[in-house]
Amino acid sequence: MWNDEPLPLGLRGKVALVTGGASGIGRAVAHAFVSSGATVAVTDMDEPRGKDLLAEIRGHGGDVHFFPCDVAQLEQCAATVDEIWETFQGLHILVNAAGVILRATVVETDEAEWDHILGVNLKGTFLMSKFALPRLIQSGGGSIVNISSGWGLVGGRRAAAYCASKGGVVLLTKAMALDHASQNIRVNCVCPGDTDTPMLRDEARQMGQPIEKFLKDAADRPLGRLGTPEEVAQAVLFLAGDSSSFITGTTLVVDGGGLAGT
């Protein structure tokens, strides 16, 4: 039956937890969620940027709170989720956006670097989900959106640990979607292509390339430009809200057509 009313995002009155929310895609997600009426709890290790985000959003009347947390540390994840639950008496959305990158081959990567990349990108997604899921269930259900990468679906040169971690996030998403659908939990994944964030600029440094040349090369895709954090945040907003109520276990590629011919 035709309905002239647009589907609601369904975020008003919801509590959303966004990891890695002090910069890049996570920061844009925090802004998008607050603008859509959610109460947002942001976690990050970068406290100065986290406090800057609070001032930025609260200056416009948004409801946002900052909780310092290293997502690779079990005790910190458990304590942070407990603190958020005690503060808001509810948790409806988790966005696992914390991420780091290392541009190196397997031979060039030492064990500590491997552990760090897998610890933040994959273990961090596991740990925050592990402790958030019982709270989502207590709240009557909810949505988890994991941030992977185009390199979680296809390989990339000199990014072995990063590709391994992001590929793991894609399949972890599907496994959680199967395990928790009966508890009214939807779990989906966004795979951005090259997006203009501080992390992308850090890649240029790691590769020893001038930033402007690196960004120009990264924009070589059908739409002819880099993505913006705000564009990725809109995809997260869709998957987190009620407009995607029959979508779970899926991977949404947001990359300007970069993987279309792969």
Side-chain angles (χ1 to χ4, degrees):
M1 182 180 294
W2 177 259
N3 187 347
D4 289 325
E5 293 296 322
L7 288 171
L9 288 171
L11 298 189
R12 191 162 300 280
K14 299 289 180 68
V15 178
L17 166 54
V18 181
T19 74
S23 67
I25 290 170
R27 191 182 187 102
V29 169
H31 273 281
F33 278 15
V34 168
S35 297
S36 298
T39 296
V40 179
V42 167
T43 74
D44 205 291
M45 291 182 64
D46 191 335
E47 291 195 46
R49 280 185 176 176
K51 292 176 180 177
D52 177 65
L53 174 69
L54 290 188
E56 187 176 281
I57 293 180
R58 287 179 175 175
H60 292 86
D63 193 2
V64 64
H65 307 258
F66 180 71
F67 300 83
C69 179
D70 179 353
V71 297
Q73 301 300 318
L74 182 145
E75 294 83 2
Q76 290 189 37
C77 292
T80 299
V81 172
D82 282 347
E83 186 177 0
I84 290 169
W85 177 262
E86 291 168 6
T87 301
F88 305 109
Q89 295 301 303
L91 183 60
H92 309 94
I93 298 165
L94 168 64
V95 179
N96 285 303
V100 288
I101 192 166
L102 175 68
R103 295 301 305 269
T105 67
V106 166
V107 174
E108 295 166 337
T109 303
D110 64 34
E111 184 180 16
E113 290 171 328
W114 174 271
D115 288 346
H116 177 59
I117 298 299
L118 272 290
V120 175
N121 295 352
L122 184 54
K123 182 182 176 182
T125 299
F126 154 67
L127 287 176
M128 291 304 293
S129 299
K130 175 180 178 63
F131 295 111
L133 271 162
R135 300 306 193 180
L136 292 173
I137 294 166
Q138 281 182 266
S139 299
S143 176
I144 296 177
V145 183
N146 298 322
I147 306 298
S148 178
S149 166
W151 280 357
L153 298 171
V154 300
R157 289 184 173 86
R158 291 196 64 196
Y162 182 78
C163 290
S165 68
K166 291 301 188 177
V169 169
V170 171
L171 285 182
L172 177 60
T173 296
K174 293 178 182 296
M176 290 197 299
L178 293 173
D179 288 339
H180 300 289
S182 63
Q183 296 160 317
N184 195 31
I185 306 293
R186 297 185 300 109
V187 190
N188 291 292
C189 185
V190 173
C191 285
D194 287 326
T195 305
D196 195 356
T197 63
M199 192 168 81
L200 186 66
R201 293 164 186 272
D202 183 52
E203 279 191 72
R205 180 190 60 79
Q206 291 186 36
M207 297 293 283
Q209 294 185 15
I211 289 177
E212 292 308 316
K213 180 183 184 304
F214 187 84
L215 297 182
K216 181 179 179 181
D217 290 345
D220 183 17
R221 58 196 60 245
L223 288 187
R225 62 177 177 84
L226 297 173
T228 68
E230 291 74 22
E231 288 172 317
V232 179
Q234 288 302 307
V236 176
L237 193 63
F238 166 68
L239 289 173
D242 292 345
S243 297
S244 60
S245 57
F246 198 53
I247 300 175
T248 194
T250 198
T251 300
L252 178 57
V253 178
V254 184
D255 73 343
L259 295 187
T262 302

